[in-house]
Amino acid sequence: MVQLRVEPAEAIGSCEELMALAASLEQQAAQRYRELAGRCGRGNAPELATLLSELADRAEEQGRRLAASSHPASPAEPRSPPAGVFDDEGLASASPALVSRYRVLSTAVRNEERAFAFWSYLAAHARTPDIRMAAEALAHRELEQVAALRRQRRMAFRAERSQPASTSLAAPLAQAESRLLARLQDRPAGGFAPDREGLAELVTHGRDNLATLDRLPEIESAGGAVSMPQEVDELAMAEFLLEAYLDVADRSQDEELVREAQRMAGRSINRLTWLRQHSAWRDENDHKV
């Protein structure tokens, strides 16, 4: 689960105010998804434009419901959306040719996870029990959205993996691991010893995964082509590789392959968790500067 990059500063005084804030977040998401859909449409990527339009429609509908949920006859005044929750993660500046359905859904999943973290934070710091219960309900709704989007993302992953290598930006799992390992080896760890130790452990995990792929090339065959664009950050690379290993563990009928894929997935989960935490810490410090 991703973490918030900016600690919420909102002081919520009523459930109506909370719902207005929730509506503003949905409206922001709808607007951004709509803008991205238009860009993909102009970039001759109609399937992505349709997907983004569907995400926008869903957010708009939810925003309308939230805006009038407390007092339908007199909905609360609109509020500015909270900072640090919605992030297009570079989709707005990426070429549509380098954006996949999987990448769009991954971005949507992480946005919902940040929204869950946001409402959970507000619930924990609520002034009154009714505000706490309303924030917890919003957090629960975000978890439901995360689960639904993750199912769509897994389907997109499998569909993209099944594409012929000659028609996709494909790279074997070992090449993807090597790319991520090279990024991690060049990455500054920060000034604290735990950061340095954690990064060293990630490098070891990457080498262990590469050694396993070298020893059991059948994992490559079971994993298929990894359709991963060249210009993605470490978080996206780590998440994509985790999906690949989980997919091998889910689909393989070979007990050894399943066992090794699960071990690789375990190492990948640790890697992804560290990267997310370190990224959140770095973003927070950049924000303070």
Side-chain angles (χ1 to χ4, degrees):
M1 189 71 68
V2 299
Q3 298 178 337
L4 288 175
R5 297 175 179 174
V6 180
E7 186 172 295
E10 287 80 1
I12 304 300
S14 67
C15 286
E16 291 82 4
E17 192 176 353
L18 184 75
M19 293 304 172
L21 185 62
S24 72
L25 183 57
E26 294 292 347
Q27 290 160 4
Q28 179 195 50
Q31 179 182 353
R32 299 291 292 278
Y33 285 137
R34 194 77 67 195
E35 292 170 355
L36 291 169
R39 189 170 184 275
C40 286
R42 294 189 297 273
N44 197 28
E47 292 185 2
L48 290 179
T50 298
L51 171 61
L52 287 159
S53 294
E54 291 172 355
L55 292 173
D57 291 343
R58 184 185 307 167
E60 283 180 351
E61 176 61 25
Q62 188 63 31
R64 285 192 293 268
R65 292 178 181 177
L66 289 168
S69 60
S70 295
H71 295 287
S74 56
E77 290 295 321
R79 289 192 51 160
S80 298
V85 178
F86 186 90
D87 186 352
D88 67 19
E89 300 186 347
L91 292 179
S93 58
S95 168
L98 295 178
V99 178
S100 66
R101 185 178 181 88
Y102 173 84
R103 182 175 174 185
V104 169
L105 289 169
S106 292
T107 297
V109 166
R110 286 188 288 270
N111 279 321
E112 297 292 347
E113 288 177 340
R114 278 188 289 271
F116 167 77
F118 178 78
W119 299 124
S120 297
Y121 180 94
L122 292 188
H125 295 80
R127 294 178 175 178
T128 62
D130 58 336
I131 295 175
R132 176 181 57 78
M133 292 177 63
E136 288 175 347
L138 289 169
H140 180 73
R141 181 181 63 85
E142 298 297 347
L143 277 186
E144 292 177 343
Q145 291 292 328
V146 167
L149 287 167
R150 278 178 174 167
R151 287 192 292 270
Q152 288 183 262
R153 185 178 68 176
R154 180 59 61 84
M155 292 173 62
F157 177 84
R158 289 175 173 171
E160 290 178 21
R161 194 197 65 177
S162 66
Q163 293 177 359
S166 59
T167 62
S168 65
L169 298 169
L173 293 178
Q175 291 183 18
E177 278 285 357
S178 295
R179 284 175 53 197
L180 180 53
L181 178 59
R183 293 274 195 96
L184 294 176
Q185 288 174 327
D186 292 338
R187 182 187 178 101
F192 298 102
D195 288 334
R196 294 193 296 272
E197 294 169 1
L199 185 57
E201 185 177 18
L202 298 195
V203 170
T204 299
H205 286 175
R207 290 171 177 165
D208 289 342
N209 282 354
L210 281 170
T212 301
L213 290 170
D214 183 62
R215 179 171 58 85
L216 289 172
E218 296 87 352
I219 293 178
E220 285 276 15
S221 302
V226 178
S227 179
M228 186 166 63
Q230 295 293 318
E231 298 302 322
V232 292
D233 61 17
E234 292 94 336
L235 278 172
M237 296 168 73
E239 188 172 71
F240 201 95
L241 283 163
L242 173 59
E243 289 282 359
Y245 300 137
L246 289 174
D247 199 49
V248 171
D250 286 344
R251 294 160 66 95
S252 179
Q253 302 299 313
D254 186 298
E255 290 185 5
E256 184 179 12
L257 291 187
V258 170
R259 183 171 58 253
E260 291 300 331
Q262 289 174 339
R263 288 175 180 169
M264 296 169 81
R267 291 192 286 263
S268 298
I269 289 172
N270 292 337
R271 176 168 61 189
L272 183 59
T273 300
W274 189 93
L275 285 170
R276 283 176 169 172
Q277 292 174 342
H278 193 265
S279 178
W281 175 85
R282 185 171 58 181
D283 290 340
E284 180 181 351
N285 281 271
D286 289 345
H287 179 72
K288 290 179 180 178
V289 174

